[in-house]
Amino acid sequence: MAKYFDVHPDNPQPRTVRTVTDSIRTGALIAYPTDSCFALGCQLGSRDGMTRIRSIRNLDERHHFTLVCQNFAQLGQFVHVDNDVFRAVKAATPGRYTFILPATKEVPRKLLHPKKKTVGVRIPDHVVTQTLLAELGEPLLSSTLLLPDEEEPMTQGWEIKERLDHVVDAVVDSGDCGTEPTTVVDFSGDAPEIVRQGAGDPARFM
């Protein structure tokens, strides 16, 4: 049965945040809010967490997992960013974008796209997510909480608790969350490619 954490949207309770991050460090899979929509998240090196996310969302090995980072300095540890891409990504963060970039050796091999050796990264503009990341001290391995055969992510913490009670370990709820996933921009080729048009305005990358 999943634990339910009601977190203040503007002033997250430090004790609750520590409890959530401690559970992540010991292998928990959580559902948590972001500036786009709810996401599933676990510790970066958690093979079990990744397997559970794949199972919940019915994902294949070609799916790009996302490393949700606290800031640009942290993001730069996990992906290669040349000067042109640096300027474009920097200008759009924090925000509702996910960027696909070549991964550094800091990224566990099992997280990489099997052919492209890339990984998704993002920096959310959300108080609760940022507080969790600051306390955790490393990125969250994440994926949008979009269930198979459903067109939109779930938006209510209580609904997530009710439906995923036996497949996640914790639900972090801070009130209303967006319904649109991030806009995904692939920078691994010669020119930026909009892979998914979502909450972030894609015009700046076209």
Side-chain angles (χ1 to χ4, degrees):
M1 184 176 291
K3 294 180 180 178
Y4 183 83
F5 297 96
D6 188 5
V7 180
H8 194 283
D10 300 314
N11 297 289
Q13 305 92 314
R15 189 172 182 178
T16 302
V17 170
R18 283 194 297 272
T19 300
V20 174
T21 54
D22 285 347
S23 72
I24 293 169
R25 292 189 187 100
T26 56
L29 174 63
I30 70 167
Y32 70 99
T34 75
D35 53 346
S36 58
C37 57
F38 271 91
L40 295 167
C42 64
Q43 191 171 33
L44 176 59
S46 175
R47 183 183 294 272
D48 177 66
M50 186 174 68
T51 300
R52 292 167 68 189
I53 292 173
R54 286 192 193 279
S55 176
I56 292 168
R57 291 205 52 202
N58 193 25
L59 301 171
D60 63 27
E61 65 174 11
R62 294 168 295 178
H63 175 74
H64 269 107
F65 281 94
T66 298
L67 302 182
V68 177
C69 301
Q70 182 188 358
N71 50 40
F72 206 87
Q74 191 178 72
L75 180 148
Q77 297 175 38
F78 296 93
V79 288
H80 296 288
V81 188
D82 66 27
N83 289 337
D84 290 339
V85 173
F86 175 91
R87 285 190 289 270
V89 172
K90 182 76 170 173
T93 56
R96 295 176 293 179
Y97 298 92
T98 297
F99 304 103
I100 296 173
L101 289 158
T104 68
K105 292 180 180 180
E106 297 295 318
V107 180
R109 184 173 296 180
K110 61 181 177 289
L111 300 185
L112 303 180
H113 186 283
K115 293 184 178 179
K116 300 172 71 176
K117 307 305 179 191
T118 49
V119 70
V121 287
R122 71 170 299 225
I123 302 171
D125 187 12
H126 191 277
V127 172
V128 173
T129 316
Q130 281 289 337
T131 305
L132 286 171
L133 292 168
E135 179 67 27
L136 187 62
E138 63 180 45
L140 268 171
L141 169 62
S142 293
S143 184
T144 303
L145 208 176
L146 180 62
L147 298 181
D149 304 319
E150 295 196 4
E151 294 185 2
E152 289 192 350
M154 286 182 286
T155 60
Q156 302 292 330
W158 64 266
E159 180 189 11
I160 294 168
K161 160 73 171 162
E162 191 173 85
R163 292 186 61 184
L164 302 182
D165 202 25
H166 297 290
V167 292
V168 301
D169 301 303
V171 176
V172 179
D173 190 3
S174 61
D176 287 344
C177 195
T179 60
E180 254 191 309
T182 56
T183 291
V184 179
V185 187
D186 188 343
F187 276 109
S188 64
D190 295 330
E193 176 188 355
I194 306 299
V195 176
R196 179 180 71 196
Q197 187 165 331
D201 183 4
R204 62 181 7 172
F205 301 107
M206 293 178 173

